[in-house]
Amino acid sequence: MYWEKDVETLSRNKLEELQLAQLIQTVKRTEKSYYYGKLFKEKNLSANSIKSLQDIQKFPFTTKDDLREHWPYGFIAVPKDELVRMHSSSGTTGRATVVFHTAHDIAVWSNLLARCMFMVGMRKSDVFQNMMTYGLFTGGLGFHYGAEKIGALVIPAGAGNSKRQIQLMMDFETTVVHVIPSYALHLSTVFTELKLDPRKDTKVKIAFLGAEPHTEKMRRKIEGIYSYKAFNSYGLSEMNGPGVAFECPYQDGMHIWEDSFLVEIIDPKTLEPVADGQEGELVMTSIQKEGMPLLRYRTKDLTRIIPGICPCGRTHRRIERIKGRTDDMLILKGVNIFPMQIEKKLMEIPDVGTNFLIILDRDEFNDSMTVKVEVNKKYFAGDIKQLENLRKKIAEELKGELLITPKVDLVEPDSIPKGEGKAVRVIDNRKD
C-alpha cells in the first residue's frame, strides 16, 4: 500500500527530472539568504550554474560550523515573518544549530512522515503513542504531525515515566509506538516488574525506532520481546528532522525520499563521490524547503546506497543503516554529545585538572555516562564533604550543558593514563 503511489513509484527518469526542477528552484531561493547570497557572489555561482543534477558538485559543501557561525538567521531564505517554527539540534560543540520552517515546510514534513508511517502499515484506525521528547528536538513533533496527517489518534506521552507509559498503552489500546531503542528494552523490564506481558497485555503491532543508533541485533531483540515489527528511521534536524529516510515492510535499507532530498555519498577524506554500494559520508541537499534550504550539507553520517530495486516497488533509493560518523559525536539517550562540550565546561570550573575520561556503559538496557575528572590534590587531603560538594557542582554543570545527568568520579592528578599521541577521551563499553 502506498500513501502517494504516483510519487513513490516514479520512474528513475521522471524522478530525476523532478529533482532537477526542484534543485534549480531551491538554488534560486538560497540566493536570498545572507550566507548563500554572499557565497554565490564570491564563487560566481547561481541557479544558472545548474544544468544537470551533477552540477550540484560545483557548489561548496555546507557544514554544521557554517550554521553556527551564521547564527541565528544567516541561512533563512524568506522574510522572518514567513517563518512559523524553529527547531534546534539536541547537542553541539558550543552554540546549537537552529533550523527554521515556513508553513509550507511543516506541511511537506508532515506529509513525509505520513508517507513513512503509512508505508509500514499505520492507518487512521490506529492509536499512536509518541514516547519521544517534545520541544526543540524534532523527533517528537515530527512523528506527531505525521500521525495526525494520517488521521490516527495521537497520545503525546513524551519521554520517560515508564509505568504511566504502560498504563496509557493498556487503557487506550495503543497499536503503534515511537520509541528510543534503549528505552524500549528498558520498558520491557518494567513490564516484568508489573507482572505484565507486553505481547499479551497490549495491542501494539508496530514500533518506530529512532533518535539513537542501534544494531540489527538490538532491533531483533526488541521485536522478540514485544512481538511487534520495529522499523528503523533516519532523520536530522538540518533537513527537517525524522522522515528523511525510512524502512519499508521488507526492512532492507531505508528509502530516502528523493522528491525532497538530493543525495550524495562522498569519500570523507577526498570529498569525491563514491559509487553506489560503496560506503562514504552522506551529503544532502533539501529541494522542497522554503524557510532554510541547505545545499550539500555534510551530515557526517557513514552509510552507502544499496544497489538494486526494492521488492516493495518504491523507486526511491535506499541507504543502509548508519554505520558510524566521521567526527567524534556521541549519542546517548537520543542526545548528541561532543567530548569538546564536556572539556569546555570542565575547564571553566576552578580546581579541575586538564585530564578527563568519558566512559559509556550499558547496564541491562540503560546506557549511562561516567565522567572521570582529575581535580586538585587538596580535595583528597581534607574534608570528604568538600570533595562531594565539588562532585555535585561538576555534575550539575555538565547536566546543564548536556541535558542528561552523567555520573561524575573525581580522581587524583595524573591518575588517568596519558597516551603518547592524541588523548583518549572516550571509552565506549556498550554492547549490542
Side-chain angles (χ1 to χ4, degrees), residues 36 44 81 99 111 132 138 168 190 200 206 246 256 280 410 418:
Y36 285 119
N44 194 26
D81 62 4
V99 182
N111 191 65
M132 202 64 70
T138 55
L168 289 170
V190 183
K200 297 177 181 177
I206 296 171
F246 215 88
I256 195 155
L410 304 184
K418 296 180 176 67

Side-chain angles (χ1 to χ4, degrees), residues 10 35 57 65 129 144 154 185 195 220 239 337 402:
L10 274 173
Y35 175 79
Q57 295 175 24
D65 285 340
Q129 187 165 326
H144 182 119
V154 177
L185 292 173
K195 295 182 170 53
R220 296 305 177 195
M239 289 296 106
I337 299 168
L402 306 177

Side-chain angles (χ1 to χ4, degrees), residues 32-37 67 70-77 100 292:
K32 299 174 184 176
S33 75
Y34 170 80
Y35 175 79
Y36 285 119
L67 299 182
H70 294 84
W71 166 284
Y73 296 118
F75 277 84
I76 62 171
F100 299 94
M292 189 176 151

